């Protein structure tokens, strides 16, 4: 198909997804920037006993009490407690807000729509519900996360 | 007119105008969905509420008109009349008329409005002469729009008239000395100058004020540091003064914003003495109303929602509960019946109770009625417990009263009570004993209420204990704690007090093994126990906040009643004392 550069860019900007990318362990993940409220550096987490293991606690976000999710534990990974940067990405879903502890922040990238693949059909992957799709960048793949699912509690699993 | 009466009247005007406004919308809906029983029921309740309120204010025309409309609506609700546009027209006309009547009250216009023709129309409909089925009705249909136009025209006239009269007023005011003018104003009950603000917006303001306080704290700290460094620098002294001023203002701002949401229940309770007196008199009963805890503060949304339920409960107590004096004499009861209305903060709830020493609910009658109404089969009815039976009184259309009075007996009241309470996550509990009386206990969550808390520390974490449950705090030595059958106890002034360690309650491993502890003695219902903590931090007034989203559900923890943010911006969890008591009961709090 013959398209001018201009047209191409236009098409891209229409379909591409601005994605905030970050590392959890060695993996690069991304969240649609429209779901990202802010990134906080200084925070004070109050632990909440007796709730899901991946809940690190809660913090005060300008008068709102926001749960903080330990992404490693959310993904059933080992958490060595080391935080490279100790950043929290505050994300919003349709009915909730939460902070996500990530290892380190990468950059905001434009992933063109055609470079996003639907999530692979992983058989009963524990984490597959959190994955929205895969974004192919030049040199690497970004796992694009589904915020709605991330902020939704397990129904079948009881806290404790 | 006393200022108290004035206030009640103003409340009535504001409320009734709101209800009538909402009715317009409901009628539009009903037009689309004629068979919607719920909608008819809602309209019916609204009219019932207006009637009740107007009744004790002595606004007879409003009472008469709403009573007549209510009769028609009741038949519609019960399916004795089928809805038709003609009926809706007449009811709409009544609503319009009610608006005119309320306007008159507002303008202190005491001239009676012509409602007779409307009353006759309503009566005819009620008696089953539906406009369609009878030839007379044809005339009436013709008449209807005309009279409507007429009333419309009348209203126009009135508007013009009022414009004229206000013009005159301006004229006279211009001519007359100022004094007269102010006197003229005094005559009118001035409608409260309020605006309605979404609670969410208030929350936003409240949160931002909290942030402002944090910013102020940081600034104060910084200016103190500078003051230490450069004690004689005039700029630093100035900065200090500015910071102090900011502190003063922000503290006041915080209180002011908090107050915008909180109101003493007095605002609702105020109207009851008069209502009880009037109703008691009209029923030939002697009743004393005792009000307790009217200074208890609740959130505005709570105030708005408890008024109606309380009116219904108190009316029921007067009408069904308290016996006439002669009957009471025979029963060896004091001739004057008692109704106790009380409010208090209990743990994490606001509890409002209405207690009467009347005849109680006749549960056998309830059982019969439930069978009659086809809610349960006779066999099922026999198996129902007392508690289950009392639940029936909250069923729509359920009433054990034999006759319909202007006060109660239509079976509207109690289901309104329940729906209104459910809206604010409240519950109602009924305790009745035949011949002795009935006690309704309403429990409301404190979601938005401000509470005083005692901040305590354990394992370097701070937690809040609602101070309403706290009796005292004592310092004890580890050696004073002994264990009986796995339950840790201390002796406090000769009395044995079971204790639970906060660290265990929360689920941390055993605490730091300090030699001495503080024990916060708390009370829940009628049981006392101690909570052992490492340190007392202080007392703080906090607002209970919810945690965003539903990924953390504090109810699941059974230990926390909520969370709050302290002045320093830290999130602190609030301990649920009744839940902590459960912990002791289960005997889980064992010495590890």
């Amino acid at each position: 198909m013959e398209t001018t550069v201009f047209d191409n860019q236009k098409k891209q900007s229409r379909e591409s997804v601005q994605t905030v990318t970050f590392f959890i362990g060695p993996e690069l993940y991304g969240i649609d920037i429209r779901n990202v409220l802010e990134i906080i550096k200084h925070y004070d987490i109050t632990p909440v006993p007796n709730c899901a293991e991946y809940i690190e606690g809660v913090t005060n976000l300008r008068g709102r009490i926001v749960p903080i999710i330990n992404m490693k534990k959310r993904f059933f990974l080992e958490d060595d407690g080391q935080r490279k940067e100790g950043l929290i990405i505050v994300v919003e879903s349709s009915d909730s807000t939460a902070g996500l502890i990530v290892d380190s922040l990468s950059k905001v990238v434009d992933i063109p729509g055609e470079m996003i693949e639907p999530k692979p059909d992983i058989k009963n992957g524990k984490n597959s519900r959190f994955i929205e799709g895969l974004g192919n960048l030049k040199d690497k793949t970004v796992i694009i996360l589904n915020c709605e699912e991330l902020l939704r509690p397990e129904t079948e699993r009881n806290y404790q | 007119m006393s200022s108290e009466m004035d206030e009640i009247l103003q409340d009535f005007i504001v409320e009734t105008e709101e209800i009538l406004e909402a009715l317009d919308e409901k009628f539009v809906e009903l037009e689309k969905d004629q068979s919607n029983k719920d909608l008819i029921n809602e309209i019916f309740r609204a009219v019932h509420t207006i009637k009740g309120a107007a009744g004790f204010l002595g606004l007879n025309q409003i009472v008469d008109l709403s009573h007549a409309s209510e009769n028609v609506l009741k038949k519609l609700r019960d399916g004795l009349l089928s809805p038709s546009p003609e009926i809706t027209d007449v009811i709409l006309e009544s609503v319009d008329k009610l608006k005119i009547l309320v306007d008159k009250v507002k303008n202190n216009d005491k001239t009676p409005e012509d409602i007779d023709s409307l009353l006759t129309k309503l009566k005819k409909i009620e008696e089953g002469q539906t406009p369609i089925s009878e030839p007379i009705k044809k005339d009436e249909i013709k008449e209807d729009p005309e009279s409507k136009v007429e009333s419309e025209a009348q209203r126009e006239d009135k508007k013009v008239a009022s414009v004229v009269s206000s013009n005159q007023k301006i004229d006279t005011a211009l001519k007359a000395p100022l004094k007269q003018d102010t006197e003229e104003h005094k005559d009118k009950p001035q409608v409260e100058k309020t605006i309605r603000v979404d609670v969410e917006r208030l929350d936003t303001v409240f949160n931002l004020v909290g942030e402002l306080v944090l910013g102020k704290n940081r600034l104060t700290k910084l200016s103190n540091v500078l003051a230490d460094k450069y004690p004689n620098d005039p700029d630093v002294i100035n900065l200090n003064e500015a910071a102090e001023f900011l502190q003063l203002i922000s503290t006041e701002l915080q209180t002011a914003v908090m107050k915008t949401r909180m109101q003493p229940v007095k605002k609702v309770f105020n109207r009851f003495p008069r209502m009880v007196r009037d109703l008691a008199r009209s029923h030939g009963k002697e009743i004393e109303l005792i009000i307790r805890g009217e200074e208890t503060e609740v959130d505005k949304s709570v105030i708005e929602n408890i008024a109606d339920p309380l009116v219904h409960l108190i009316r029921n107590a007067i009408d069904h509960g308290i016996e006439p004096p002669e009957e009471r004499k025979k029963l060896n009861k004091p001739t004057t019946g008692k109704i106790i209305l009380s409010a208090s903060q209990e743990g994490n709830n606001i509890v409002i109770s209405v207690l009467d020493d009347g005849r109680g609910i006749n549960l056998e009658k309830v059982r019969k009625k439930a069978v009659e109404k086809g809610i349960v089969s006779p066999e099922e009815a026999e198996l129902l417990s007392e508690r289950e039976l009392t639940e029936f009184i909250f069923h729509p259309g359920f009433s054990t009263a034999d006759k319909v009075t202007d006060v109660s007996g239509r079976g509207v009241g109690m289901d309104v009570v329940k729906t209104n309470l459910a809206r604010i996550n409240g519950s109602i509990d009924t305790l009745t004993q035949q011949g002795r009386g009935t006690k309704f206990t309403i429990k409301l969550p404190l979601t938005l209420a401000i509470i005083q808390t005692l901040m305590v520390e354990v394992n370097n974490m701070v937690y809040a204990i609602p101070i309403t449950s706290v009796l005292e705090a004592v310092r004890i030595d580890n050696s004073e704690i002994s264990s009986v059958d796995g339950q840790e106890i201390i002796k406090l002034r000769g009395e044995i007090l079971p204790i639970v360690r906060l660290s265990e309650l929360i689920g941390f491993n055993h605490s730091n093994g300090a030699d001495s502890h503080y024990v916060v003695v708390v009370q829940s219902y009628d049981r006392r126990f101690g909570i052992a903590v490492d340190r007392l931090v202080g007392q703080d007034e906090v607002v209970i906040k919810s945690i965003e989203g539903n990924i953390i559900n504090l109810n699941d923890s059974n230990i926390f009643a909520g969370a709050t943010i302290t002045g320093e911006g830290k999130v602190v969890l609030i301990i649920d004392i009744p839940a902590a008591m459960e912990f002791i009961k289960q005997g889980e709090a064992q010495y590890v």
Side-chain angles (χ1 to χ4, degrees):
Chain A
M1 218 201 296
E2 290 244 338
T3 44
T4 63
V5 175
F6 179 76
D7 273 350
N8 209 0
Q9 273 179 346
K10 211 174 159 190
K11 196 179 164 200
Q12 272 186 18
S13 70
R14 189 152 34 96
E15 290 183 353
S16 69
V17 178
Q18 279 217 312
T19 308
V20 179
T21 62
F22 50 87
F23 284 97
I24 301 169
E27 245 44 92
L28 186 64
Y29 292 86
I31 285 176
D32 188 334
I33 202 163
R34 283 168 298 183
N35 289 118
V36 177
L37 210 61
E38 64 189 280
I39 288 155
I40 47 177
K41 211 168 184 179
H42 303 288
Y43 49 84
D44 190 355
I45 296 178
T46 300
V48 181
N50 300 330
C51 61
E53 207 194 338
Y54 57 81
I55 300 287
E56 198 87 339
V58 288
T59 197
N60 169 16
L61 185 74
R62 284 185 303 287
R64 297 161 73 190
I65 300 180
V66 175
I68 303 297
I69 298 171
N70 182 327
M71 290 301 280
K72 274 196 179 147
K73 288 184 183 163
R74 188 77 170 124
F75 290 157
F76 309 100
L77 301 170
E78 279 293 311
D79 181 26
D80 53 8
Q82 300 281 317
R83 309 263 180 272
K84 267 189 202 147
E85 290 171 14
L87 290 176
I88 286 177
I89 302 178
V90 182
V91 295
E92 254 182 336
S93 68
S94 55
D95 58 355
S96 188
T97 306
L100 311 177
I101 299 181
V102 300
D103 280 342
S104 64
L105 206 61
S106 187
K107 54 195 169 187
V108 178
V109 290
D110 255 322
I111 308 180
E114 63 267 23
M115 300 308 281
I116 299 176
E117 287 171 30
K119 67 174 165 187
D121 201 11
I122 307 163
K123 277 178 211 148
N124 297 328
K126 269 194 285 191
N127 299 329
S128 92
R129 74 172 174 119
F130 302 131
I131 300 168
E132 176 94 25
L134 298 176
N136 290 313
L137 298 182
K138 267 171 267 151
D139 46 346
K140 55 201 163 218
T141 303
V142 185
I143 303 167
I144 301 170
L145 297 172
N146 179 335
C147 267
E148 299 292 330
E149 284 300 328
L150 277 179
L151 304 195
R152 186 169 296 153
E154 274 79 3
T155 39
E156 64 280 299
R157 217 183 105 192
N158 276 331
Y159 306 124
Q160 260 316 336
Chain B
M1 206 183 274
S2 74
S3 69
E4 200 180 57
M5 201 50 212
D6 240 33
E7 212 180 297
I8 295 171
L9 199 58
Q10 277 166 18
D11 282 352
F12 167 74
I13 292 167
V14 172
E15 272 169 36
T16 311
E17 280 181 336
E18 267 175 31
I19 293 173
L20 289 173
E21 224 172 273
L23 274 186
D24 278 346
E25 265 175 50
K26 292 201 176 107
F27 275 113
V28 174
E29 260 181 80
L30 193 63
E31 205 81 70
K32 283 185 211 143
D33 183 8
Q34 296 260 353
S35 57
N36 190 337
K37 282 268 154 59
D38 286 347
L39 209 53
I40 296 174
N41 206 11
E42 264 182 69
I43 295 168
F44 178 43
R45 283 185 205 160
V47 175
H48 186 73
T49 305
I50 294 175
K51 186 185 76 172
F56 76 82
L57 286 168
L59 305 167
N60 294 332
Q61 284 206 315
I62 296 181
V63 175
D64 291 346
L65 190 56
S66 43
H67 185 75
S69 325
E70 200 187 352
N71 283 333
V72 173
L73 286 165
K74 184 179 160 58
K75 289 210 159 170
L76 282 175
R77 186 190 70 171
D78 293 347
L80 298 171
L81 278 176
S82 49
S84 71
E86 284 77 12
I87 293 180
T88 313
D89 275 350
V90 178
I91 294 174
L92 266 176
E93 204 184 326
S94 318
V95 172
D96 284 344
K97 198 63 131 185
L98 281 174
K99 279 185 198 158
I100 296 172
L101 289 170
V102 173
D103 261 359
K104 282 200 159 187
V105 175
K106 197 162 145 186
N107 299 327
N108 209 16
D109 182 353
K110 295 219 168 71
T111 55
E113 181 78 10
D114 176 26
I115 55 168
D116 290 346
S117 64
L118 201 51
L119 286 178
T120 340
K121 271 189 223 170
L122 287 165
K123 191 89 188 154
K124 272 184 191 164
I125 295 175
E126 198 211 329
E127 281 163 11
Q129 302 174 11
T130 40
I132 323 152
S133 60
E134 289 198 29
I136 323 159
K137 288 299 163 186
K138 269 188 188 163
D139 295 338
E140 219 161 317
I141 295 165
K142 262 187 219 155
E143 232 172 74
D144 243 341
E146 257 178 294
S147 67
K148 242 192 171 171
V149 170
E150 209 175 33
S151 76
E152 205 75 45
Q154 273 174 5
R155 235 187 303 165
E156 277 312 307
D157 272 357
K158 227 164 279 151
K159 253 186 217 160
V160 175
S162 73
V163 169
V164 170
S165 76
S166 63
N167 271 344
Q168 279 170 346
K169 234 177 244 170
I170 292 167
D171 273 356
T172 47
L174 282 175
K175 284 173 206 155
L178 261 172
K179 220 181 183 179
Q180 233 177 352
D181 182 46
T182 52
E183 261 170 19
E184 210 169 303
H185 274 284
K186 258 189 193 164
D187 280 349
K188 278 190 182 175
Q190 298 221 336
V191 173
E192 235 176 321
K193 281 176 193 150
T194 51
I195 48 162
R196 298 167 65 87
V197 182
D198 194 330
V199 179
E200 242 170 65
R201 287 196 193 179
L202 281 180
D203 280 349
T204 314
V205 176
F206 187 73
N207 287 342
L208 288 174
V209 170
E211 282 306 298
L212 182 71
V213 171
L214 293 189
K216 173 221 67 183
N217 286 348
R218 227 170 284 162
L219 186 69
T220 313
K221 238 182 223 168
L222 209 64
S223 83
N224 284 340
V225 170
L226 284 176
D228 285 347
K229 253 188 197 164
Y230 314 101
N232 297 320
D233 191 316
D235 286 340
V236 172
I237 293 168
N238 263 339
L239 177 71
N240 252 316
E241 274 169 14
E244 266 167 41
F245 179 69
L246 188 64
Q247 166 135 24
L248 201 75
I249 296 295
S250 57
T251 311
E252 266 183 40
L253 182 61
Q254 205 171 20
T255 336
V257 175
M258 274 197 194
K259 277 191 181 156
T260 56
R261 303 195 306 190
M262 303 296 292
Q263 290 170 319
V265 284
K266 194 175 172 194
K267 205 172 151 69
V268 183
F269 285 9
N270 252 347
R271 65 177 82 177
F272 294 123
R274 174 70 193 265
M275 181 185 130
V276 171
R277 206 190 64 187
D278 288 359
L279 284 177
R281 191 174 290 172
S282 70
H283 283 68
K285 291 177 181 177
E286 290 168 26
I287 299 171
E288 185 192 359
L289 175 72
I290 300 164
I291 292 181
R292 290 183 187 145
E294 59 179 358
E295 69 289 339
T296 312
E297 289 216 319
V298 287
D299 195 73
K300 177 157 167 49
S301 61
V302 176
I303 292 264
E304 281 167 354
N305 285 286
I306 53 168
D308 284 353
L310 287 178
V311 167
H312 286 297
L313 290 178
I314 291 174
R315 269 204 244 148
N316 274 348
I318 298 167
D319 199 25
H320 307 313
I322 307 279
E323 310 89 339
E326 318 82 58
E327 197 182 325
R328 290 183 68 91
K329 218 171 196 174
K330 270 184 222 155
L331 293 164
N332 263 338
K333 282 180 168 183
T335 51
T336 303
K338 250 187 214 161
I339 294 178
I340 302 173
L341 174 63
S342 67
S344 63
Q345 204 176 317
E346 257 177 41
N348 305 296
N349 292 295
I350 278 165
V351 177
I352 298 175
S353 67
V354 177
L355 184 149
D356 71 73
D357 66 347
R359 49 171 79 101
I361 298 169
N362 186 337
L363 292 176
E364 281 319 304
K365 218 166 166 182
V366 171
R367 203 191 297 269
K368 253 192 223 157
K369 202 89 181 180
V371 175
E372 237 171 72
K373 292 234 162 203
I375 305 169
V376 289
S377 69
E379 296 79 39
E380 283 174 312
E382 286 311 310
L383 297 172
L384 292 172
S385 68
E386 283 194 6
R387 189 162 217 101
E388 284 165 324
L389 282 172
T390 47
E391 277 298 302
F392 279 125
I393 59 175
F394 298 107
H395 220 272
F398 200 96
S399 174
T400 54
D402 300 319
K403 58 175 194 280
V404 172
T405 67
D406 67 330
V407 175
S408 50
R410 288 169 182 281
V412 214
M414 295 312 270
D415 75 300
V416 177
V417 170
K418 197 143 198 189
T419 11
N420 277 359
L421 290 176
R423 205 174 297 155
I424 42 173
N425 291 328
S427 65
I428 182 161
D429 200 43
T430 320
L431 200 71
T432 187
Q433 200 175 356
Q434 201 154 9
R436 297 287 297 278
T438 309
K439 183 182 185 183
F440 290 102
T441 308
I442 297 173
K443 244 187 191 178
L444 298 164
L446 269 188
T447 22
L448 285 159
I450 292 169
I451 57 163
Q452 285 283 345
T453 59
L454 179 68
M455 297 287 183
V456 297
E457 194 185 282
V458 68
N459 293 17
N460 299 319
M461 290 295 308
V462 176
Y463 295 92
I465 298 175
I467 221 149
T468 40
S469 323
V470 175
L471 298 173
E472 62 179 317
V474 290
R475 195 192 168 117
I476 53 145
D477 206 75
N478 248 355
S479 60
E480 289 173 67
I481 302 175
S482 47
S483 177
V484 176
D485 197 16
Q487 173 66 59
E488 283 189 288
I489 54 155
I490 57 165
K491 262 194 161 179
L492 185 64
R493 289 187 292 273
E495 261 183 74
I496 288 173
L497 188 76
I499 63 164
V500 56
R501 289 176 194 250
L502 188 55
S503 53
E504 285 164 26
L505 196 60
I506 288 163
F508 285 135
N509 293 329
H510 199 26
S511 70
N512 54 14
D515 288 341
S516 63
H517 292 270
Y518 284 89
V519 168
V520 180
V521 184
V522 292
Q523 181 156 18
S524 168
Y525 303 106
D526 43 9
R527 278 199 58 173
R528 283 173 180 210
F529 63 100
I531 298 177
V533 300
D534 293 347
R535 203 167 71 83
L536 302 178
V537 179
Q539 201 173 317
D540 211 348
E541 195 177 52
V542 302
V543 176
I544 299 187
K545 295 194 169 203
S546 57
I547 296 177
E548 300 273 328
N550 55 359
I551 201 161
I552 296 180
N553 189 347
L554 282 182
N555 290 334
D556 283 352
S557 73
N558 287 327
I559 294 164
F560 300 110
T564 187
I565 296 175
T566 63
E568 295 85 44
K570 247 187 105 68
V571 179
V572 166
L573 299 170
I574 302 164
I575 309 280
D576 186 353
I577 297 299
M581 191 188 65
E582 285 301 310
F583 202 77
I584 280 199
K585 267 193 196 161
Q586 290 163 13
E588 284 171 18
Q590 289 177 1
Y591 193 80
V592 184

